[in-house]
Amino acid sequence: MSRRPTCDEAMPRGDGHDAPLVQIGLPTGARSTGFEATRRDVLSLMGFSLGAIGLGAGCRAPVQHAVPLPSASTEMVPGVPNLYATTCGGCGASCGLVVKQRDGRPIKIEGNEASPLTGGGTCAAGQASVLSLYDDARLRGPVWLGNAVSWSEIDRHITTMLGGGGSDRRAIVLLSPTINSPSTRAVLADFRTRFPGFRHVVHDPMSLAALREANRLAFGAAVVPHFHFDRARVVVALEADFLGTWLAPVEFSRQWARRRTADGTRGFHVQCEAGLSVTGSNADLRLAVAPSELGTVAVALLAAVARRVNDAGLAALNATGLGQTAPHAAAIDRVADALARHRGESLVVTGSDDVATQLVVGKLNALLGNIGGADGPIDLARPSLQAQGDDAGVPALIDDMNRGAVSALIIWGANPVYDHPDGLAFRKALGRVPLTISFADRRDETSAHVHALCPDHHFLESWGDAEPVSGHFSLAQPLIAPLHDTRAGAESLLAWAAPAAGAAGAGKPADHRLYLRDFWRRALYPRAATAAGFDDFWERTLERGVVELPGPAVQTHAFAGDWQGAVRDIVTRASRAGTDHGGYELALHETVGARDGRHANNPWLLELPDPITRLTWGNVASIAPATAAALGVATGDVVTLTTETGKLELPAFVQPGQDRRTISVAVGYGRWAAGKAGDGIGANVYPLARVENGVRRYAARVNVAKAGRRARLAPAQTHFSMEGRDIVQSLTLASLEHEHEHEHEELPNLWRERLHGAHAWGMSIDLDACTGCSACVVACQSENNVPVVGAEQVRKSRIMHWLRIDRYFDGDGEDATTVHQPMMCQHCQHAPCETVCPVLATTTSSEGINQQVYNRCIGTRYCANNCPYKVRRFNWHNYTANDDFPYNMTSPLGRLVLNPDVTVRSRGVMEKCNLCVQRVQLGKNQALLQRRPLADGDVATACQQACPTGAIVFGDLADAGSRVSKLLAGRRAYRVLDDLGTRPNVGYLKKIELKEKA
Amino acid sequence: MRLRGIVFGFVVLGAGGGLLARGATRIGVHQGYAPEQPIAFPHKVHAGDNKIACLYCHSAARTSRHAGIPSASVCMNCHALLEKQTTAIQRLKEAVQQERPIAWTKVHNLPDFVYFNHSQHVVSGVACQRCHGAVEQMDRIEQAAPLTMGWCLGCHRAEAHVPTSTFARVAANVRGRPTPFAGEDCTSCHY
C-alpha cells in the first residue's frame, strides 16, 4: 500500500510548526519524530491497555469452600466458643482451668475462677501448654522396637512379656512424677492386684523430699503441708521461690497478694536465698545467703526467736553463740522481732534440700504456734499432695535394674536420663531390663531407649481428676478428640491388667472415662453428702471443674523431731565449711519459663524473657558483680563450671542481688531430644548436683574458670536505667498518708476534642501486686497470635511480645532491690504515634482504644519511632509459613492454636496491644444478644484473666463506678511519662516500699 | 490530522487508564460472583416458593459471627419425608448416606483482616436481603452487593451513628430494646 505522508511532509515548515507536538515512545520500541497513527500503533496501544486491565481485573481470588458437619450439632456452632473446665498438666500443682474451644479444638487456656485455691489465675507454663498439644514432635502412635505398630499388637507383646497371673511376683516398676489423681491411684491399685510384684517409684526432678522426710520425723506424717500465705502477717522464705516455681506458685501468688494491703495489716515478706528469684525480687527484705549458710541462718533465726519467747528449753541454743557469727545477724534479729510479734500468724517456709534445716524450720514454726488449727498458716491435717517425690527411689531403682531384679519398667511422665544426676547410669541400666515401656509423648532422652513407646494423650485430650490439696478435687475432661493414635496411660495399664481370656471379667475394654466415673461414684460421691443423684452431681462437677469433698484428716502429733541433733549437725558442718574458704557454690533453680525441662520444645516458653535476667533462648551462669569482677568475667564470657559430678560450659551473667559465693544456673535447658525448637538450647545443669544420703541435692561446691571465649546472649531488655525519669514510682506506707489523690495535670490541649463513644476503655496495673511471673505475657501471645521470632531476631531487638515486663534494679550489690513493670501500649488519648502515620493506619477509636489497622499500614515505622513507651512491634518478616521461622506458625499442626478472631499479620505491618479489642467487641456482642447493658467485669483482657494476683484491672473509665475508675482515682495512681502530655488510658499504682530509697 | 491522532491517543489511553483504575480498585470485589455449587440448591424454591425463613437453615446467624451453611441433616429434616426427587436431591441423599460432608463453594468472602459478625446485625434487625440481595428469587446464589468497606460504611454512617456518651448510656438503660450501635471505629471491624 502507498506510504502515508509524515507530519514533516504534510505540515508546511518555517512557521514554528517544525517540531512535533508530542513525542511518544511507542510500546513497540519504534522511535519516530512524529506521531504516526498507524493501525499497528493503535492496536499495540490498545493491547497495552487491555494488558493493564488484565493485570487489574484479571487477579483472581482463590475459591473458598464452606464444609459444614454432615450432622448438625447444637453444641458446636461454628464461630461460637465453648468453654470447658479441666485441670492443668503443666506442672505438679494441678490448677483448675477453663479452656476456650473453637470449632472442636482448644485455643486458649484460662484459669477457673471457681477454684478456691487459684481463683482463676494461671502461670506462664500453664498458659503455654496449649501449644504443646499441637507439637510436631509428638509421637503419632505406638512404637515397638523402633517400628510403628497398632495398639492391639503392642498390647500382645506387652501382656505376653508381663507374664502370668497372680502368682507372678517379679518386680514391675512404674516410674513417674507425683501422681495426685485419686482415680489414677485406684488404677495403680488395680494393677497391683493383678501383678503383686508391682511398685511405684515417684521421681520429681525438683523434689521436696527433704521437707517430707523432716515432717515424718517431726510430726509423724511424711507430708507437704498446705501453706496459707494469706494467713501470715510475716512470711520468711528460705530458698523457696513460692511466687515463681515452688510447689503451687499460682495459689501462693494469690494468697501473697491478699496481704499486700496499703494499710497497717500489710504483710512483711523476708526472703533468704542465693540467687535472685521472682519471689526474692518482690520481698520486702531480701538477704543473700549461700546454700551452705542456709542452715546457719535457720538456726540463728531459731535462736533469736527463742530469746524473745523465753523458751527455757532453747537456752542451749544461745550457748552456741551462733547468732553472732551467722550472716546478716542484725537483719535476722529484726526478722525475729517481727515473727515474735505475730505468733500464730506467721510462716517460715524453706525449700531446702537438707533435712536438718527443715527440722529447724519445723521447730521454729511449732515454737511460733503456726502449725495446726483449721485457720492457721500451716495445715498438716489437710496437706498438699503436689509433691510426693522419693529421692532415694531412683538410685535404688538403678541398682535393682542392674541386678536384674526388675522384669518390667513403665515410665510415665518421667525423664531421668535427662533430669537425674545419675541419668547416664539409668540409661545403661535400662538395657538390663527385659521389658521397658514409656508413655512419653515423644522420643525423649529416656524414651528413646525403651522397647515400647505407648504415647499417652496430652492433658487437653484426657479424662482425669486431681487432688492437689487434700479435700480439694478437680476434674479433667478432653477438649479435643486425640489428635494422634495415642492412648491414656491409665487405659494402657487397665488393658494390661485386664483378666486373661476366659477368666472372670475378661473381654471388657478398658475405658478411662467409664473407670473414672465409676471411681467417683464409688469412692468420692459418698463424701459429697448431697441429696442429688450421682448423675446430677457428676454433670455439675464436670461443668464447674472443681469440688471440695472433705475427707479424713491426716493424723499428726506435735513437733517431736530431734531439732537439737539437727542444730548440732548444722553447726558442725558450718564450722567445717568455714575452714575451706574461697570456694564457690553452685545452686540449681527453676525458672518460670523452663520449669523442670518438660516444656523444652515449647517456643512460647523458649522465647519468654526470664523476669530476672530478661534473657531468652537459653540459660546462663548468674554471678554476683563483685565475684565477676574478682574473676575477671563479664556478661557473655563463657565459664566452665566443674563440680564433683559434672562439668558444664555456660555464658556468664552478672546478676545484681546474687550471693557473692554462689553461681546460680537454671535447670530445664540443654535437652537433646525435646524437639527441633528446644534441642541444644542452653546447657543441662542437672548432672552437676547429686543424690546424697537418699536426698537430692541442688547445690554443690564448684570451680569456676573462664573458658576463653564469648557467647552471644539473646536479651529482650538491653537498657536497664530509667535515666532519671519517674517510670516506676514507689512510695512508703507512711508517705501514702500524705499522698494526694491523683491529680491529672491538664496541659493545654492542641487538638480538637474527639467524639467520645459510650465507653472509655482503660487499665490499671498494680506494681505492688505484680510479681513478674509473666503469665500475662504468654496469655497475650496466645490470645493475639503473636509470632515467635527466634534468638537471632531477639538479638536485633525484634521480639514481638505486645506486653513486656521491664525489670529495673536499684543498686547492684547483694542488697539490690527489684521492680517489675508490665508495659504495653498505653492507649494515649493524645498519641504521638497517630500524628505521624502518613496513612492514618493508627487512630484512637471513639472508645479510647488506640487502634492499629493492619490492612492500612504501609510499614513506615514512624509510629514506633515516635512512641515514647516503645511498645510498638513491627513484622520484619513473614513469620507464618516461613521456613526461616520454624515455629508454631509455620507448622500446619501448630497453626491450629491460632485465635480465629484475631488477624494474623503479614510482613510489613505494625502491631501492638489493642486492649484485647476482640474481647471487648465480643463482650458487647454478648450483651446485645442477651438484651442487657455491658457491666463492669464482663470483659477481661487476656493479661488480666491470666494474672494470679489480680494486678491488672481492665474496665470502663467513663463509668465512675467501675473498678478501674476507682483504682485510677486513688492515691497510688499515676501515669508513666505523663509530663509528655500523652494522656494514657493505662495507669499504674505505685509500688509500696518498706523504706525510702536513698 | 496530527491533532486527531493525538486526541484519539488520549481517548484510548484515557479509556485504557480508566479501565486499569477500575480493575485495580475492583481487585477483591466479586459482585456478581455466582459459582456453580456441588449440589444445585435453588433458594428460589425453598426461601421463595416455600417461604422457609432464612434463619431456619442458617440458624448460626442468630448467635455466631458466621451465618454458616446448614448441615445435610437440616436438609433431611424435610427431604427424608418428601417424595420429590431431582438430581440435586439425589446427590444430597447420597452424600448423607455415605456420611460425606458437602463442600459448598463460599460465595460471600471477606478478606482475613475484616471481622464481620452476623449475630450483631441479625439481632439489631438488619434484614438478610439488605446485604445479600433478593435471595428468595435466586436460583443460584449470587453475590448481590460489592461488600466493599465503602459500601458497609454507607449503612453504618446513615443508619446507626456513633452515639455520644449521654445517649449511649440512656439507650443502654432502656431494657429489652437492643440499641443499634454500629461503630465507625476502625476496630469495629479491623483487629
Side-chain angles (χ1 to χ4, degrees):
Chain A
M1 64 157 71
S2 62
R3 193 182 141 273
R4 296 177 73 222
T6 65
C7 291
D8 289 331
E9 290 162 343
M11 297 290 273
R13 291 186 186 280
D15 55 359
H17 294 287
D18 303 325
L21 286 172
V22 174
Q23 193 68 269
I24 300 171
L26 298 168
T28 52
R31 303 287 305 144
S32 75
T33 49
F35 181 71
E36 294 172 86
T38 61
R39 199 159 43 164
R40 186 183 180 173
D41 300 323
V42 170
L43 281 173
S44 54
L45 204 63
M46 278 177 64
F48 171 70
S49 312
L50 277 170
I53 296 167
L55 257 176
C59 276
R60 301 170 83 84
V63 172
Q64 293 196 35
H65 292 284
V67 189
L69 293 171
S71 190
S73 158
T74 46
E75 201 177 281
M76 193 181 95
V77 178
V80 176
N82 286 333
L83 303 170
Y84 293 99
T86 186
T87 307
C88 186
C91 79
S94 301
C95 299
L97 298 180
V98 167
V99 182
K100 181 166 104 175
Q101 182 210 60
R102 270 293 284 274
D103 298 336
R105 64 185 192 281
I107 57 169
K108 178 73 173 61
I109 284 183
E110 315 216 319
N112 189 348
E113 279 162 28
S115 165
L117 300 174
T118 62
T122 44
C123 71
Q127 282 286 336
S129 53
V130 66
L131 187 55
S132 57
L133 169 66
Y134 304 112
D135 192 346
D136 282 310
R138 285 180 68 200
L139 286 166
R140 298 303 206 250
V143 177
W144 173 256
L145 296 178
N147 300 315
V149 294
S150 69
W151 282 106
S152 47
E153 250 185 272
I154 210 171
D155 283 346
R156 253 202 324 275
H157 289 296
I158 290 175
T159 42
T160 312
M161 292 191 72
L162 281 179
S167 58
D168 196 316
R169 292 207 149 266
R170 284 183 297 168
I172 299 174
V173 180
L174 172 72
L175 176 67
S176 81
T178 299
I179 292 179
N180 65 32
S181 150
S183 65
T184 308
R185 285 201 297 269
V187 170
L188 298 185
D190 283 351
F191 197 80
R192 190 175 287 110
T193 311
R194 175 79 168 81
F195 298 104
F198 170 76
R199 74 169 200 277
H200 183 199
V201 174
V202 182
H203 160 61
D204 286 330
M206 299 297 283
S207 127
L208 270 67
L211 171 57
R212 293 176 62 239
E213 176 62 11
N215 282 344
R216 183 185 71 79
L217 293 168
F219 302 102
V223 292
V224 174
H226 185 206
F227 295 109
H228 294 268
F229 288 83
D230 50 344
R231 295 178 186 168
R233 284 288 299 276
V234 180
V235 168
V236 180
L238 308 168
E239 278 301 351
D241 183 17
F242 63 88
L243 296 177
T245 58
W246 193 74
L247 192 58
V250 176
E251 186 194 351
F252 295 159
S253 295
R254 181 183 186 225
Q255 294 168 348
W256 173 90
R258 282 209 185 114
R259 271 285 164 218
R260 309 298 273 181
T261 52
D263 59 24
T265 64
R266 187 180 172 78
F268 178 51
H269 170 197
V270 182
Q271 188 87 3
C272 302
E273 57 184 13
L276 182 60
S277 69
V278 165
T279 313
S281 71
N282 289 289
D284 296 309
L285 173 64
R286 183 179 172 273
L287 307 172
V289 170
S292 63
E293 293 173 332
L294 201 68
T296 317
V297 168
V299 172
L301 193 56
L302 179 62
V305 169
R307 275 199 297 279
R308 283 154 177 85
V309 303
N310 290 320
D311 189 315
L314 287 158
L317 263 183
N318 297 330
T320 65
L322 202 57
Q324 283 71 44
T325 57
H328 306 290
I332 289 176
D333 240 22
R334 260 184 71 206
V335 174
D337 256 340
L339 281 172
R341 268 185 282 121
H342 294 283
R343 278 175 251 185
E345 41 169 21
S346 51
L347 176 51
V348 185
V349 64
T350 176
S352 170
D353 55 12
D354 174 34
V355 177
T357 309
Q358 292 282 359
L359 275 172
V360 170
V361 168
K363 174 63 182 171
L364 181 52
N365 278 312
L367 191 62
L368 290 165
N370 296 331
I371 306 179
D375 298 323
I378 303 180
D379 189 349
L380 277 169
R382 280 158 296 267
S384 151
L385 303 172
Q386 293 149 323
Q388 299 167 39
D390 163 28
D391 287 354
V394 172
L397 178 60
I398 296 175
D399 276 339
D400 284 345
M401 291 199 287
N402 282 324
R403 279 190 299 116
V406 175
S407 69
L409 175 65
I410 305 170
I411 304 172
W412 189 2
N415 192 0
V417 173
Y418 162 69
D419 59 32
H420 197 276
D422 300 332
L424 193 56
F426 189 93
R427 183 164 68 83
K428 295 207 179 104
L430 268 178
R432 312 286 285 270
V433 180
L435 174 63
T436 49
I437 303 167
S438 172
F439 292 168
D441 66 350
R442 68 197 65 207
R443 274 193 187 77
D444 62 28
E445 291 79 358
T446 307
S447 69
H449 304 286
V450 304
H451 300 111
L453 289 165
C454 300
D456 189 7
H457 296 322
H458 186 273
F459 79 83
L460 287 171
E461 298 167 329
S462 300
W463 285 99
D465 57 1
E467 189 184 3
V469 170
S470 175
H472 292 263
F473 293 87
S474 108
L475 278 173
Q477 58 181 317
L479 272 292
I480 186 172
L483 283 170
H484 309 300
D485 188 17
T486 53
R487 182 170 70 181
E491 264 185 36
S492 294
L493 291 174
L494 288 171
W496 302 330
K508 206 163 50 124
D511 183 305
H512 191 202
R513 181 182 73 87
L514 293 176
Y515 186 96
L516 173 72
R517 198 161 187 272
D518 189 59
F519 171 78
W520 272 66
R521 185 205 309 268
R522 276 187 289 112
L524 294 176
Y525 168 64
R527 279 159 67 166
T530 168
F534 172 71
D535 289 337
D536 256 344
F537 166 77
W538 176 252
E539 292 296 317
R540 267 188 292 115
T541 309
L542 259 185
E543 187 189 342
R544 191 163 178 269
V546 292
V547 68
E548 274 176 89
L549 300 170
V554 172
Q555 294 306 312
T556 56
H557 50 68
F559 187 90
D562 179 18
W563 62 270
Q564 293 100 326
V567 170
R568 272 196 305 274
D569 190 10
I570 291 170
V571 169
T572 316
R573 272 188 276 137
S575 57
R576 237 191 297 129
T579 56
D580 44 55
H581 260 289
Y584 295 109
E585 292 174 51
L586 172 72
L588 275 61
H589 66 100
E590 280 187 86
T591 50
V592 294
R595 295 304 303 265
D596 59 9
R598 70 180 80 184
H599 302 293
N601 200 39
N602 190 319
W604 285 350
L605 291 175
L606 287 167
E607 193 155 284
L608 179 68
D610 181 69
I612 302 297
T613 62
R614 304 295 286 136
L615 298 173
T616 62
W617 294 97
N619 56 346
V620 289
S622 295
I623 307 184
T627 313
L631 289 168
V633 159
T635 295
D637 287 343
V638 178
V639 292
T640 313
L641 305 171
T642 318
T643 66
E644 244 172 45
T645 49
K647 190 165 132 161
L648 196 62
E649 280 195 355
L650 270 176
F653 183 80
V654 177
Q655 175 68 59
Q658 180 79 24
D659 174 70
R660 79 187 88 93
R661 271 151 314 226
T662 315
I663 318 286
S664 288
V665 181
V667 299
Y669 289 93
R671 285 189 63 175
W672 61 94
K676 287 214 194 84
D679 285 350
I681 302 293
N684 183 13
V685 73
Y686 277 119
L688 267 65
R690 69 220 178 286
V691 177
E692 192 182 77
N693 296 332
V695 174
R696 275 292 286 273
R697 298 309 227 170
Y698 297 102
R701 292 217 157 270
V702 67
N703 283 326
V704 187
K706 289 178 74 161
R709 64 175 202 282
R710 285 185 62 80
R712 290 167 71 219
L713 301 173
Q717 180 180 357
T718 48
H719 191 90
F720 301 101
S721 163
M722 292 192 231
E723 303 288 349
R725 300 184 189 117
D726 258 346
I727 295 174
V728 175
Q729 296 186 20
S730 61
L731 40 63
T732 59
L733 264 182
S735 66
L736 185 57
E737 297 296 312
H738 309 294
E739 196 80 357
H740 299 295
E741 300 251 331
H742 175 67
E743 271 158 25
H744 200 65
E745 196 203 316
E746 291 290 325
L747 294 169
N749 193 356
L750 293 175
W751 307 104
R752 210 177 18 242
E753 275 304 320
R754 185 187 313 109
L755 187 67
H756 290 297
H759 306 282
W761 300 112
M763 184 179 270
S764 153
I765 299 175
D766 188 348
L767 293 177
D768 204 41
C770 174
T771 60
C773 75
S774 308
C776 54
V777 177
V778 184
C780 173
Q781 182 157 36
S782 170
E783 170 77 18
N784 294 295
N785 304 336
V786 177
V788 170
V789 298
E792 197 48 51
Q793 295 294 306
V794 172
R795 285 189 199 109
K796 293 183 184 172
S797 303
R798 292 174 176 181
I799 198 169
M800 291 302 284
H801 290 144
W802 290 5
L803 168 58
R804 65 174 191 266
I805 303 188
D806 286 334
R807 183 265 297 135
Y808 302 100
F809 290 127
D810 190 358
D812 64 1
E814 288 181 350
D815 57 355
T817 55
T818 323
V819 289
H820 300 283
Q821 182 180 47
M823 177 58 63
M824 73 288 268
C825 174
Q826 302 286 287
H827 295 278
C828 308
Q829 298 311 294
H830 291 171
C833 58
E834 293 173 10
T835 51
V836 297
C837 176
V839 295
L840 284 182
T842 176
T843 50
T844 304
S845 78
S846 65
E847 298 189 345
I849 291 182
N850 180 298
Q851 50 200 4
Q852 180 68 36
V853 186
Y854 308 122
N855 42 307
R856 228 179 138 81
C857 175
I858 56 169
T860 322
R861 307 190 297 281
Y862 198 162
C863 55
N865 200 30
N866 228 30
C867 172
Y869 308 97
K870 292 294 172 260
V871 288
R872 288 175 152 273
R873 301 281 171 262
F874 186 67
N875 283 276
W876 291 95
H877 301 272
N878 264 328
Y879 299 113
T880 316
N882 182 347
D883 289 330
D884 288 341
F885 299 95
Y887 309 113
N888 65 299
M889 284 165 86
T890 293
S891 142
L893 186 62
R895 281 204 286 277
L896 290 178
V897 85
L898 295 176
N899 185 349
D901 288 334
V902 173
T903 309
V904 175
R905 284 78 60 185
S906 86
R907 179 187 55 211
V909 301
M910 193 62 80
E911 62 184 54
K912 64 171 187 68
C913 163
N914 53 20
L915 284 181
C916 279
V917 66
Q918 69 275 6
R919 290 182 174 223
V920 173
Q921 296 294 85
L922 191 67
K924 284 153 73 177
N925 172 258
Q926 294 300 305
L928 182 68
L929 292 182
Q930 291 164 23
R931 307 290 202 278
R932 58 169 176 80
L934 199 59
D936 185 37
D938 271 349
V939 177
T941 54
C943 50
Q944 173 184 5
Q945 204 295 319
C947 181
T949 60
I952 300 180
V953 178
F954 168 83
D956 189 359
L957 290 173
D959 173 6
S962 68
R963 266 184 75 203
V964 69
S965 294
K966 292 195 184 125
L967 285 169
L968 291 183
R971 282 178 296 173
R972 282 170 56 209
Y974 77 100
R975 308 297 210 260
V976 177
L977 298 178
D978 64 351
D979 49 325
L980 293 176
T982 51
R983 302 205 189 169
N985 267 12
V986 174
Y988 291 81
L989 303 181
K990 296 184 193 180
K991 188 172 159 80
I992 296 180
E993 299 281 346
L994 207 53
K995 59 184 190 303
E996 296 288 349
K997 289 207 201 305
Chain B
M1 184 59 211
R2 208 164 59 181
L3 184 64
R4 238 197 335 199
I6 288 161
V7 168
F8 181 69
F10 264 117
V11 167
V12 172
L13 268 177
L19 282 170
L20 167 64
R22 188 164 179 277
T25 54
R26 303 290 276 184
I27 291 176
V29 179
H30 305 289
Q31 190 171 19
Y33 179 48
E36 207 177 305
Q37 296 289 345
I39 294 177
F41 173 81
H43 275 88
K44 188 157 181 222
V45 170
H46 296 75
D49 302 338
N50 289 299
K51 298 193 170 35
I52 300 175
C54 310
L55 288 175
Y56 176 81
C57 297
H58 299 280
S59 51
R62 233 191 295 259
T63 51
S64 166
R65 57 180 287 204
H66 303 299
I69 296 184
S71 303
S73 61
V74 176
C75 311
M76 295 313 287
N77 281 345
C78 292
H79 282 281
L81 308 166
L82 296 174
E83 283 175 4
K84 174 100 183 178
Q85 190 73 323
T86 62
T87 329
I89 296 173
Q90 179 67 24
R91 287 221 186 100
L92 165 73
K93 289 186 175 165
E94 274 169 16
V96 169
Q97 266 157 15
Q98 294 160 18
E99 287 185 349
R100 189 175 20 99
I102 302 165
W104 301 98
T105 304
K106 241 182 123 215
V107 177
H108 304 86
N109 297 311
L110 289 176
D112 281 346
F113 47 79
V114 175
Y115 175 90
F116 175 78
N117 191 319
H118 269 94
S119 62
Q120 192 85 8
H121 293 75
V122 168
V123 169
S124 297
V126 178
C128 310
Q129 287 83 347
R130 186 77 182 257
C131 308
H132 292 289
V135 171
E136 69 276 4
Q137 290 165 23
M138 295 181 192
D139 254 323
R140 188 201 280 186
I141 277 290
E142 180 192 320
Q143 182 180 320
L147 300 183
T148 53
M149 176 172 160
W151 173 83
C152 292
L153 279 180
C155 184
H156 274 234
R157 282 186 177 135
E159 298 283 327
H161 48 279
V162 174
T164 62
S165 317
T166 328
F167 166 70
R169 261 192 280 278
V170 165
N173 284 331
V174 175
R175 293 196 175 280
R177 258 196 283 146
T179 320
F181 200 103
E184 271 182 293
D185 297 322
C186 306
T187 41
S188 304
C189 316
H190 293 294
Y191 47 79

